[in-house]
């Protein structure tokens, strides 16, 4: 377990530098949304990349079904994001063959639910969603993977996982406050919430309440993503017109709700339901949504 810096964005480069550069092999990536696409752009700078599936043509409104995926047993590794924050899409299963190193960007749902970590060769997650404040990125990496990865000549020392392992995440001055808060968050999940199973139940309850309100609005609120691929972390939706969306966001801000604007690349409305958000907070949002619908339908 490493505590690094540079966010998931730096991992977009460090992973292919370590596992793809100069290997002559091909890595497989899933382009499931805004962040999946960014990871591919960086990987292509280091070697051969196959985009195994892309949702771009459909506007990133769904994730691939199993029948649409054909994995190679010879791939250098498989990479995907478990949750796409912009579009509100989340995998509810583990993908790919266990014989291929499985690499996953869990930045937005790490510690929100249990995960079978042994099935992954690398898990990485920046902290500022569920884990702690911005400034630290948690990276779980199998020692056997590093042992088998070839060393890259002329690699900047800071981009070599081995240096961070050897110095116990102290290769340079670490973000100590962010790491300390991460400690407090893990204690809170364990001792107050009662573990990841309970954390998952709470997060599911929040998402189910919000999605039910969207579905019951008879089209006044329109969910962005396919129902079976909906994210428990980020609920994205639209209203019937862009003008009504702006009024919704303005009145929501006046009522004390913040952070409901959709991502700049997509627009619309996005309610993020990370660990720190309570069920009563979601219920207050639902009350506002119901009142707004009655006023403007």
């Amino acid at each position: 377990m490493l505590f690094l810096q540079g966010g998931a964005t730096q991992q977009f480069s460090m992973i292919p530098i370590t596992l793809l550069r100069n290997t002559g092999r091909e890595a497989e990536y899933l382009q499931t949304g805004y962040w999946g696409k960014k990871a591919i752009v960086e990987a292509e700078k280091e070697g051969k990349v196959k985009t195994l599936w892309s949702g771009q043509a459909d506007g990133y409104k769904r994730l691939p079904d199993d029948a649409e995926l054909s994995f190679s047993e010879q791939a250098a590794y498989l990479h995907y994001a478990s949750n796409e924050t912009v579009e509100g899409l989340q995998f509810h299963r583990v993908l790919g063959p266990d014989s291929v190193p499985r690499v996953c960007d869990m930045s937005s749902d790490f510690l929100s639910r249990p995960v079978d970590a042994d099935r992954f060769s690398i898990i990485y997650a920046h902290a500022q969603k569920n884990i702690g404040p911005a400034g630290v990125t948690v990276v779980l990496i199998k020692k056997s993977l590093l042992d088998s990865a070839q060393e890259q000549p002329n690699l900047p020392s800071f981009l070599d996982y081995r240096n961070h392992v050897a110095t116990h995440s102290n290769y340079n001055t670490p973000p100590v406050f962010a790491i300390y808060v991460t400690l407090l968050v893990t204690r809170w999940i364990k001792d107050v919430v009662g573990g990841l199973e309970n954390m998952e139940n709470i997060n599911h309850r929040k998402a189910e309440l919000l999605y039910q309100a969207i579905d019951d609005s008879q089209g006044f609120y329109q969910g962005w993503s396919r129902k079976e691929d909906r994210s428990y972390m980020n609920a994205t939706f639209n209203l019937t017109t862009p003008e009504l969306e702006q009024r919704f966001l303005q009145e929501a801000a006046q009522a004390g709700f913040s952070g409901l604007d959709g991502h700049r690349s997509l627009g619309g409305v996005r309610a993020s339901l990370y660990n720190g958000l309570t069920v009563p907070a979601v219920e207050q949002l639902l009350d506002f949504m119901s009142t707004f619908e009655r006023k403007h339908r």
Side-chain angles (χ1 to χ4, degrees), residues 143-188:
K143 183 177 183 297
S144 58
L145 186 71
L146 278 185
D147 290 343
S148 62
Q150 66 184 56
E151 294 193 26
Q152 300 296 336
N154 303 316
L155 178 65
S157 299
F158 192 77
L159 299 181
D160 193 331
Y161 286 117
R162 295 175 180 86
N163 292 330
H164 295 285
V165 171
T167 55
H168 306 286
S169 301
N170 249 325
Y171 187 74
N172 70 316
T173 304
V176 291
F177 180 75
I179 294 172
Y180 172 65
V181 176
T182 299
L183 167 65
L184 299 182
V185 170
T186 57
R187 286 178 176 172
W188 171 72

Side-chain angles (χ1 to χ4, degrees), residues 3-16:
F3 296 97
L4 304 182
Q5 297 172 62
T9 302
Q10 181 163 294
Q11 296 307 305
F12 293 166
S13 297
M14 286 184 71
I15 288 163

